[in-house]
Amino acid sequence: MGGVLSPLLSNIVLDELDKELERRGLSYVRYADDFQIYVKTKRSAERVQASTKRFIEKQLRLKVNEEKSAIGRPWERDFLGYSFTVDKQTRLKPSKTSIKRLRQKIKQQFRQGKGRNLFRFIREDLNPILRGWINYFSQSQTKGFVEQLDSWIRRHLRKIKWRQWKRPWTRMQKLIKLGVSEQRAAQSAFNQRGPWWNAGASHMNLAFSGIYFAKLGLVNLTHALARFSR
């Protein structure tokens, strides 16, 4: 109940702030008690920050969180998980913090899924996280970040398979079965490189292509974002 009431109460209390900012002709965005104001220069930002703080504390009698209040470029700031590009024509994208949190959450799942069946791991553990995340960030106007995430996720899945095979002879046999030539499979299986290196190498990309993971039902973030864009 608290999660529902908090934004509602914030909207009621901060309605006066909205009217004040609109009266000043300022460009701003607010969700509950989290808001950003956009001006052209640093000097203007300092002036607006000071006057807005006075209004909140004197007129509304609320306490401003100094730790969360800052002046910065739009692409340096994080608002509800989103940020902006540095391009001349600004575009919306997930913030670096949001992407970092997703990677940390997925890494935790990978650690727990080392010995699991890949199909079940993808369907039961990985896909719900990816689907929920890309649904939230469906308003993003760039695609480079999803392409990088897709590649990183597939590499981690290949790493799981490489570790599950354990022995070089098993790896060679599995690679051959997955379409890698016998000579190449032998060289790859006995290369004595680590799991992460092999997960990104051409032999594992050939054995476990994007099509392979699509057949397992892995959520493709790039394709999902493209569907939202359309």
Side-chain angles (χ1 to χ4, degrees):
M1 182 64 74
V4 177
L5 282 177
S6 181
L8 176 61
L9 293 173
S10 296
N11 283 334
I12 294 171
V13 173
L14 295 177
D15 180 62
E16 287 185 51
L17 174 64
D18 291 343
K19 291 175 179 175
E20 175 65 16
L21 296 177
E22 288 168 6
R23 186 186 66 78
R24 297 187 198 176
L26 293 168
S27 298
Y28 76 98
V29 59
R30 181 178 68 80
Y31 178 82
D33 60 351
D34 192 3
F35 67 94
Q36 290 185 351
I37 303 171
Y38 304 102
V39 293
K40 292 183 178 181
T41 66
K42 184 179 179 181
R43 181 176 292 181
S44 297
E46 291 170 346
R47 185 177 65 253
V48 168
Q49 183 188 43
S51 62
T52 303
K53 182 184 175 183
R54 282 197 302 271
F55 179 83
I56 291 172
E57 292 183 340
K58 291 185 178 181
Q59 296 295 119
L60 304 182
R61 297 186 179 183
L62 297 172
K63 181 71 175 176
V64 174
N65 189 328
E66 297 288 351
E67 292 182 3
K68 291 185 178 181
S69 301
I71 293 171
R73 301 282 189 180
W75 51 86
E76 296 171 346
R77 307 301 298 160
D78 184 332
F79 185 72
L80 303 179
Y82 277 93
S83 188
F84 299 98
T85 63
V86 192
D87 307 330
K88 188 174 182 180
Q89 185 174 356
T90 304
R91 292 177 294 168
L92 203 60
K93 67 171 188 176
S95 68
K96 291 179 180 178
T97 304
S98 298
I99 294 173
K100 183 180 179 181
R101 284 175 181 166
L102 175 67
R103 283 177 177 260
Q104 289 172 341
K105 192 171 185 179
I106 292 174
K107 273 186 177 180
Q108 185 179 0
Q109 293 299 321
F110 282 134
R111 284 193 289 269
Q112 295 172 358
K114 287 180 182 178
R116 292 194 57 190
N117 173 276
L118 208 59
F119 174 80
R120 291 187 61 186
F121 172 70
I122 288 171
R123 294 295 181 98
E124 296 174 8
D125 300 307
L126 200 53
N127 278 353
I129 295 172
L130 298 177
R131 196 173 287 115
W133 193 85
I134 197 61
N135 283 347
Y136 182 81
F137 289 104
S138 61
Q139 301 303 310
S140 299
Q141 298 168 312
T142 63
K143 64 177 183 178
F145 73 96
V146 282
E147 292 171 349
Q148 291 174 1
L149 284 170
D150 280 331
S151 177
W152 179 78
I153 290 164
R154 289 194 295 265
R155 186 170 180 176
H156 266 286
L157 292 170
R158 294 184 188 108
K159 179 183 173 183
I160 288 175
K161 293 303 295 183
W162 187 261
R163 278 182 163 168
Q164 286 179 348
W165 291 342
K166 294 182 180 179
R167 300 173 185 273
W169 284 105
T170 304
R171 288 168 178 167
M172 185 180 77
Q173 292 166 1
K174 294 289 187 181
L175 287 171
I176 292 170
K177 190 175 180 181
L178 288 164
V180 180
S181 69
E182 187 174 337
Q183 181 181 357
R184 191 175 179 185
Q187 291 174 344
S188 303
F190 290 87
N191 63 27
Q192 296 185 335
R193 298 269 193 165
W196 182 247
W197 186 91
N198 278 283
S202 58
H203 55 272
M204 287 297 280
N205 277 272
L206 178 60
F208 298 100
S209 64
I211 295 172
Y212 175 90
F213 289 117
K215 288 179 179 177
L216 289 183
L218 176 66
V219 170
N220 187 300
L221 298 175
T222 305
H223 294 168
L225 185 60
R227 285 196 298 272
F228 285 122
S229 299
R230 289 197 295 269

